Amino acid sequence: MRNTEQPKTYRVKSFGCQMNVYDGERMGELLSEQGITAAPEGEDADLVVLNTCHIREKAAEKVYSDIGRLTKGKTQKKAPMIAVAGCVAQAEGEEIMARSPSVSMVVGPQAYHRLPEMIAGAVSGKRMTDTDMPADAKFAALPQRKKSAPSAFLTIQEGCDKFCTYCVVPYTRGAEISRPYAALVDEAKMLVDGGAREITLLGQNVSAWSGEDDKGRAIGMAGLIRAIAAIPDVARIRYMTSHPADMDEDLISAHGEVSKLMPFLHLPVQSGNDRILKAMNRSHSAESYLKLLERFRAARPDLALSGDFIVGFPGETDAEFEDTLKIVDAVGYAQAYSFKYSPRPGTPAATMDDQVPMDVMDERLQRLQASLRRDQQAFNDASIGKTCEVLVERKGKLEGQWLGKSPWLQSVHFTADVAIGDVVKAELIQAGQNSLGARVLENVNA
Ligand code: SAH
Ligand code: SF4
Ligand code: F3S
């Protein structure tokens, strides 16, 4: 029942965070180099790579239903060769192999550069597993970057040493590693040569990145941002995700000095209550988080803020949850992600007493999301009348319509005579919950 034919086409389906999107692109490039081409939209692929996420239970369970659908011919006419990659592969590789006989390969996030050998093994009928974790070896073994969308991801740092008590990432991605400075500047140049105008630097703890220049001098995140800003065709730089513990003065100043660094910061707080933050093993308090934001806003007054929240961490009382609503009110996020706590196997919080009942979590999440929606709408409303640059990223649904992003990471739609990759000057004229309408004033490229 396992497909062992040499694949000619592939499809990578990525779930979870942006780093999985980056990994998915790189797997695609690697497969293309092997002569396996991307299956056209809507057509069957000979090889399907499920690039999975383990962060919450629902995300992790999805892989088994996807495997079932692929095997039973529900997703495409013919069952493909199946590879499971990403964080579920890392965390549950053996279980996947035992539960799903149709899976040919299990490949962890630090081992996917070995896909070509694994495919060769799968074609000869073997089942292949590689969940080794030599994070840096992967990048050196991957092919050069060639083509890029206008907005490109660049992984600069991977793994996490923070061990928040609810989180699987330190186990699925391994210890924090920083990719070398020179390799990153080179990759940024390749992306720009391939069409990128905006580069988003990625890491599970992106601001923990550290490196050395060619003279052996220490460089931090701000130094890397300045080096990438010096590449002439880079129009915009972003980074995510940061932990409050790693934000240094140099990075804060860069927000005030580097015009290509966009006025947007994704800085998860998780909870507004200090007892819960301590139980989560977050190293900040509600107050230290707010003080940090004040410093960023002093450097860049129009900074848009984004965050992540967990409701219903074990033991969270109603009053402790109210503190999360209070910090939301105090910050005024431009956008944010919020989740019900999901117990993950092997993490300390999963076995803590006082797990919060689902109906309580549901109610808290609804209240939190109502506040977050209110603030997002207010942020978007306050954008009306502003003139800003928009990077054109793709066509919209309507005839002649284009979609792009504002400096504050809002989706912007407009009708104009432009091309993908153009930077246009636009006036924001209409605000919805999740996007803005604009009138293009000038094509900055033309
Ligand atoms: N490295 C980033 C993000 C990691 S995962 C950081 O430290 O902030 C993305 C988000 O998923 C987290 O910020 C957290 O809000 C959420 N998350 C992680 N583990 C979770 C769990 N067990 N249950 C619910 N949400 C979780
Ligand atoms: Fe997970 Fe915490 Fe690390 Fe973020 S900092 S990846 S939430 S352990
Ligand atoms: Fe998910 Fe792994 Fe990213 S668990 S959020 S894909 S690091």
Side-chain angles (χ1 to χ4, degrees), residues 13 15 50 52-53 56-69 88:
K13 272 184 79 179
F15 306 92
L50 299 173
T52 59
C53 173
R56 284 167 291 275
E57 193 181 355
K58 271 214 181 109
E61 272 305 314
K62 207 179 165 341
V63 64
Y64 294 103
S65 56
D66 271 13
I67 294 167
R69 291 164 55 83
V88 185

PDB file of all heavy atoms in Angstrom, residues 13 15 50 52-53 56-69 88:
ATOM      1  N   LYS A  13       3.111  20.594   1.808  1.00  0.00           N
ATOM      2  CA  LYS A  13       2.042  21.292   2.555  1.00  0.00           C
ATOM      3  C   LYS A  13       2.589  21.689   3.914  1.00  0.00           C
ATOM      4  O   LYS A  13       2.895  20.826   4.739  1.00  0.00           O
ATOM      5  CB  LYS A  13       0.855  20.341   2.767  1.00  0.00           C
ATOM      6  CG  LYS A  13      -0.146  20.348   1.622  1.00  0.00           C
ATOM      7  CD  LYS A  13      -1.338  19.461   1.939  1.00  0.00           C
ATOM      8  CE  LYS A  13      -2.329  20.140   2.876  1.00  0.00           C
ATOM      9  NZ  LYS A  13      -3.499  19.275   3.168  1.00  0.00           N
ATOM     10  N   PHE A  15       2.348  23.540   7.607  1.00  0.00           N
ATOM     11  CA  PHE A  15       1.456  23.991   8.677  1.00  0.00           C
ATOM     12  C   PHE A  15       2.298  24.720   9.713  1.00  0.00           C
ATOM     13  O   PHE A  15       3.512  24.591   9.742  1.00  0.00           O
ATOM     14  CB  PHE A  15       0.776  22.788   9.339  1.00  0.00           C
ATOM     15  CG  PHE A  15       0.059  21.898   8.371  1.00  0.00           C
ATOM     16  CD1 PHE A  15       0.708  20.812   7.799  1.00  0.00           C
ATOM     17  CD2 PHE A  15      -1.239  22.163   8.012  1.00  0.00           C
ATOM     18  CE1 PHE A  15       0.045  19.998   6.885  1.00  0.00           C
ATOM     19  CE2 PHE A  15      -1.912  21.352   7.104  1.00  0.00           C
ATOM     20  CZ  PHE A  15      -1.263  20.267   6.538  1.00  0.00           C
ATOM     21  N   LEU A  50       4.215  16.367   4.079  1.00  0.00           N
ATOM     22  CA  LEU A  50       3.399  17.051   5.085  1.00  0.00           C
ATOM     23  C   LEU A  50       4.365  17.664   6.085  1.00  0.00           C
ATOM     24  O   LEU A  50       5.039  16.952   6.834  1.00  0.00           O
ATOM     25  CB  LEU A  50       2.458  16.056   5.771  1.00  0.00           C
ATOM     26  CG  LEU A  50       1.449  15.350   4.853  1.00  0.00           C
ATOM     27  CD1 LEU A  50       0.688  14.265   5.625  1.00  0.00           C
ATOM     28  CD2 LEU A  50       0.464  16.350   4.250  1.00  0.00           C
ATOM     29  N   THR A  52       4.756  19.436   9.185  1.00  0.00           N
ATOM     30  CA  THR A  52       3.773  19.510  10.275  1.00  0.00           C
ATOM     31  C   THR A  52       4.168  20.405  11.449  1.00  0.00           C
ATOM     32  O   THR A  52       5.323  20.766  11.615  1.00  0.00           O
ATOM     33  CB  THR A  52       3.569  18.098  10.836  1.00  0.00           C
ATOM     34  OG1 THR A  52       4.850  17.639  11.301  1.00  0.00           O
ATOM     35  CG2 THR A  52       3.050  17.151   9.772  1.00  0.00           C
ATOM     36  N   CYS A  53       3.158  20.700  12.284  1.00  0.00           N
ATOM     37  CA  CYS A  53       3.326  21.538  13.477  1.00  0.00           C
ATOM     38  C   CYS A  53       2.821  20.788  14.706  1.00  0.00           C
ATOM     39  O   CYS A  53       1.771  20.157  14.660  1.00  0.00           O
ATOM     40  CB  CYS A  53       2.528  22.824  13.285  1.00  0.00           C
ATOM     41  SG  CYS A  53       2.478  23.852  14.759  1.00  0.00           S
ATOM     42  N   ARG A  56       0.118  22.755  19.214  1.00  0.00           N
ATOM     43  CA  ARG A  56      -1.095  22.442  19.972  1.00  0.00           C
ATOM     44  C   ARG A  56      -1.650  21.113  19.485  1.00  0.00           C
ATOM     45  O   ARG A  56      -1.347  20.684  18.375  1.00  0.00           O
ATOM     46  CB  ARG A  56      -2.134  23.565  19.793  1.00  0.00           C
ATOM     47  CG  ARG A  56      -1.807  24.807  20.610  1.00  0.00           C
ATOM     48  CD  ARG A  56      -2.640  26.002  20.204  1.00  0.00           C
ATOM     49  NE  ARG A  56      -2.284  26.472  18.876  1.00  0.00           N
ATOM     50  CZ  ARG A  56      -1.285  27.313  18.617  1.00  0.00           C
ATOM     51  NH1 ARG A  56      -0.567  27.794  19.588  1.00  0.00           N
ATOM     52  NH2 ARG A  56      -1.005  27.663  17.377  1.00  0.00           N
ATOM     53  N   GLU A  57      -2.498  20.490  20.328  1.00  0.00           N
ATOM     54  CA  GLU A  57      -2.961  19.142  20.014  1.00  0.00           C
ATOM     55  C   GLU A  57      -3.660  19.071  18.653  1.00  0.00           C
ATOM     56  O   GLU A  57      -3.401  18.173  17.860  1.00  0.00           O
ATOM     57  CB  GLU A  57      -3.908  18.672  21.123  1.00  0.00           C
ATOM     58  CG  GLU A  57      -4.199  17.188  21.044  1.00  0.00           C
ATOM     59  CD  GLU A  57      -5.155  16.747  22.142  1.00  0.00           C
ATOM     60  OE1 GLU A  57      -5.508  17.580  23.004  1.00  0.00           O
ATOM     61  OE2 GLU A  57      -5.544  15.572  22.115  1.00  0.00           O
ATOM     62  N   LYS A  58      -4.507  20.061  18.378  1.00  0.00           N
ATOM     63  CA  LYS A  58      -5.271  20.047  17.110  1.00  0.00           C
ATOM     64  C   LYS A  58      -4.338  20.036  15.912  1.00  0.00           C
ATOM     65  O   LYS A  58      -4.561  19.334  14.933  1.00  0.00           O
ATOM     66  CB  LYS A  58      -6.165  21.283  17.038  1.00  0.00           C
ATOM     67  CG  LYS A  58      -7.509  21.081  17.654  1.00  0.00           C
ATOM     68  CD  LYS A  58      -8.583  21.882  16.886  1.00  0.00           C
ATOM     69  CE  LYS A  58      -9.927  21.687  17.526  1.00  0.00           C
ATOM     70  NZ  LYS A  58     -10.403  22.872  18.224  1.00  0.00           N
ATOM     71  N   ALA A  59      -3.270  20.864  16.007  1.00  0.00           N
ATOM     72  CA  ALA A  59      -2.307  20.955  14.904  1.00  0.00           C
ATOM     73  C   ALA A  59      -1.649  19.601  14.697  1.00  0.00           C
ATOM     74  O   ALA A  59      -1.482  19.123  13.566  1.00  0.00           O
ATOM     75  CB  ALA A  59      -1.263  22.025  15.209  1.00  0.00           C
ATOM     76  N   ALA A  60      -1.278  18.951  15.797  1.00  0.00           N
ATOM     77  CA  ALA A  60      -0.551  17.688  15.702  1.00  0.00           C
ATOM     78  C   ALA A  60      -1.443  16.565  15.176  1.00  0.00           C
ATOM     79  O   ALA A  60      -1.008  15.712  14.406  1.00  0.00           O
ATOM     80  CB  ALA A  60       0.013  17.320  17.068  1.00  0.00           C
ATOM     81  N   GLU A  61      -2.719  16.564  15.568  1.00  0.00           N
ATOM     82  CA  GLU A  61      -3.630  15.497  15.136  1.00  0.00           C
ATOM     83  C   GLU A  61      -3.924  15.560  13.640  1.00  0.00           C
ATOM     84  O   GLU A  61      -4.227  14.567  13.000  1.00  0.00           O
ATOM     85  CB  GLU A  61      -4.944  15.565  15.928  1.00  0.00           C
ATOM     86  CG  GLU A  61      -4.902  14.780  17.227  1.00  0.00           C
ATOM     87  CD  GLU A  61      -4.505  13.311  17.026  1.00  0.00           C
ATOM     88  OE1 GLU A  61      -5.055  12.675  16.111  1.00  0.00           O
ATOM     89  OE2 GLU A  61      -3.638  12.813  17.775  1.00  0.00           O
ATOM     90  N   LYS A  62      -3.787  16.763  13.092  1.00  0.00           N
ATOM     91  CA  LYS A  62      -4.118  16.979  11.693  1.00  0.00           C
ATOM     92  C   LYS A  62      -3.326  16.056  10.770  1.00  0.00           C
ATOM     93  O   LYS A  62      -3.827  15.596   9.753  1.00  0.00           O
ATOM     94  CB  LYS A  62      -3.828  18.440  11.342  1.00  0.00           C
ATOM     95  CG  LYS A  62      -4.699  18.903  10.230  1.00  0.00           C
ATOM     96  CD  LYS A  62      -4.463  20.343   9.878  1.00  0.00           C
ATOM     97  CE  LYS A  62      -5.084  20.678   8.546  1.00  0.00           C
ATOM     98  NZ  LYS A  62      -5.398  19.605   7.651  1.00  0.00           N
ATOM     99  N   VAL A  63      -2.102  15.759  11.152  1.00  0.00           N
ATOM    100  CA  VAL A  63      -1.254  14.957  10.279  1.00  0.00           C
ATOM    101  C   VAL A  63      -1.868  13.579  10.023  1.00  0.00           C
ATOM    102  O   VAL A  63      -1.849  13.086   8.900  1.00  0.00           O
ATOM    103  CB  VAL A  63       0.193  14.854  10.806  1.00  0.00           C
ATOM    104  CG1 VAL A  63       0.306  14.146  12.116  1.00  0.00           C
ATOM    105  CG2 VAL A  63       1.078  14.156   9.794  1.00  0.00           C
ATOM    106  N   TYR A  64      -2.482  12.992  11.053  1.00  0.00           N
ATOM    107  CA  TYR A  64      -3.038  11.646  10.862  1.00  0.00           C
ATOM    108  C   TYR A  64      -4.261  11.681   9.940  1.00  0.00           C
ATOM    109  O   TYR A  64      -4.446  10.785   9.117  1.00  0.00           O
ATOM    110  CB  TYR A  64      -3.363  11.006  12.215  1.00  0.00           C
ATOM    111  CG  TYR A  64      -2.101  10.741  13.014  1.00  0.00           C
ATOM    112  CD1 TYR A  64      -1.735  11.569  14.072  1.00  0.00           C
ATOM    113  CD2 TYR A  64      -1.258   9.695  12.669  1.00  0.00           C
ATOM    114  CE1 TYR A  64      -0.562  11.354  14.780  1.00  0.00           C
ATOM    115  CE2 TYR A  64      -0.083   9.468  13.378  1.00  0.00           C
ATOM    116  CZ  TYR A  64       0.266  10.301  14.437  1.00  0.00           C
ATOM    117  OH  TYR A  64       1.421  10.079  15.120  1.00  0.00           O
ATOM    118  N   SER A  65      -5.079  12.724  10.059  1.00  0.00           N
ATOM    119  CA  SER A  65      -6.226  12.782   9.150  1.00  0.00           C
ATOM    120  C   SER A  65      -5.749  13.062   7.720  1.00  0.00           C
ATOM    121  O   SER A  65      -6.276  12.500   6.769  1.00  0.00           O
ATOM    122  CB  SER A  65      -7.252  13.814   9.620  1.00  0.00           C
ATOM    123  OG  SER A  65      -6.669  15.062   9.774  1.00  0.00           O
ATOM    124  N   ASP A  66      -4.710  13.883   7.577  1.00  0.00           N
ATOM    125  CA  ASP A  66      -4.185  14.145   6.231  1.00  0.00           C
ATOM    126  C   ASP A  66      -3.611  12.876   5.595  1.00  0.00           C
ATOM    127  O   ASP A  66      -3.824  12.616   4.403  1.00  0.00           O
ATOM    128  CB  ASP A  66      -3.091  15.220   6.288  1.00  0.00           C
ATOM    129  CG  ASP A  66      -3.662  16.611   6.157  1.00  0.00           C
ATOM    130  OD1 ASP A  66      -4.895  16.751   6.277  1.00  0.00           O
ATOM    131  OD2 ASP A  66      -2.884  17.549   5.921  1.00  0.00           O
ATOM    132  N   ILE A  67      -2.886  12.094   6.390  1.00  0.00           N
ATOM    133  CA  ILE A  67      -2.314  10.847   5.865  1.00  0.00           C
ATOM    134  C   ILE A  67      -3.446   9.927   5.415  1.00  0.00           C
ATOM    135  O   ILE A  67      -3.409   9.358   4.322  1.00  0.00           O
ATOM    136  CB  ILE A  67      -1.436  10.136   6.933  1.00  0.00           C
ATOM    137  CG1 ILE A  67      -0.198  10.964   7.258  1.00  0.00           C
ATOM    138  CG2 ILE A  67      -1.030   8.730   6.446  1.00  0.00           C
ATOM    139  CD1 ILE A  67       0.556  10.498   8.499  1.00  0.00           C
ATOM    140  N   GLY A  68      -4.496   9.832   6.260  1.00  0.00           N
ATOM    141  CA  GLY A  68      -5.635   8.985   5.928  1.00  0.00           C
ATOM    142  C   GLY A  68      -6.293   9.410   4.621  1.00  0.00           C
ATOM    143  O   GLY A  68      -6.566   8.581   3.749  1.00  0.00           O
ATOM    144  N   ARG A  69      -6.496  10.706   4.463  1.00  0.00           N
ATOM    145  CA  ARG A  69      -7.155  11.213   3.252  1.00  0.00           C
ATOM    146  C   ARG A  69      -6.311  10.968   2.007  1.00  0.00           C
ATOM    147  O   ARG A  69      -6.825  10.591   0.959  1.00  0.00           O
ATOM    148  CB  ARG A  69      -7.457  12.705   3.402  1.00  0.00           C
ATOM    149  CG  ARG A  69      -8.561  13.005   4.442  1.00  0.00           C
ATOM    150  CD  ARG A  69      -8.554  14.466   4.842  1.00  0.00           C
ATOM    151  NE  ARG A  69      -8.670  15.317   3.664  1.00  0.00           N
ATOM    152  CZ  ARG A  69      -9.820  15.610   3.085  1.00  0.00           C
ATOM    153  NH1 ARG A  69     -10.940  15.158   3.610  1.00  0.00           N
ATOM    154  NH2 ARG A  69      -9.853  16.361   2.012  1.00  0.00           N
ATOM    155  N   VAL A  88       5.979  17.521  14.116  1.00  0.00           N
ATOM    156  CA  VAL A  88       5.355  16.260  14.549  1.00  0.00           C
ATOM    157  C   VAL A  88       6.281  15.099  14.207  1.00  0.00           C
ATOM    158  O   VAL A  88       6.420  14.136  14.960  1.00  0.00           O
ATOM    159  CB  VAL A  88       3.963  16.043  13.911  1.00  0.00           C
ATOM    160  CG1 VAL A  88       3.298  14.801  14.476  1.00  0.00           C
ATOM    161  CG2 VAL A  88       3.062  17.243  14.157  1.00  0.00           C
TER     162      VAL A  88
END
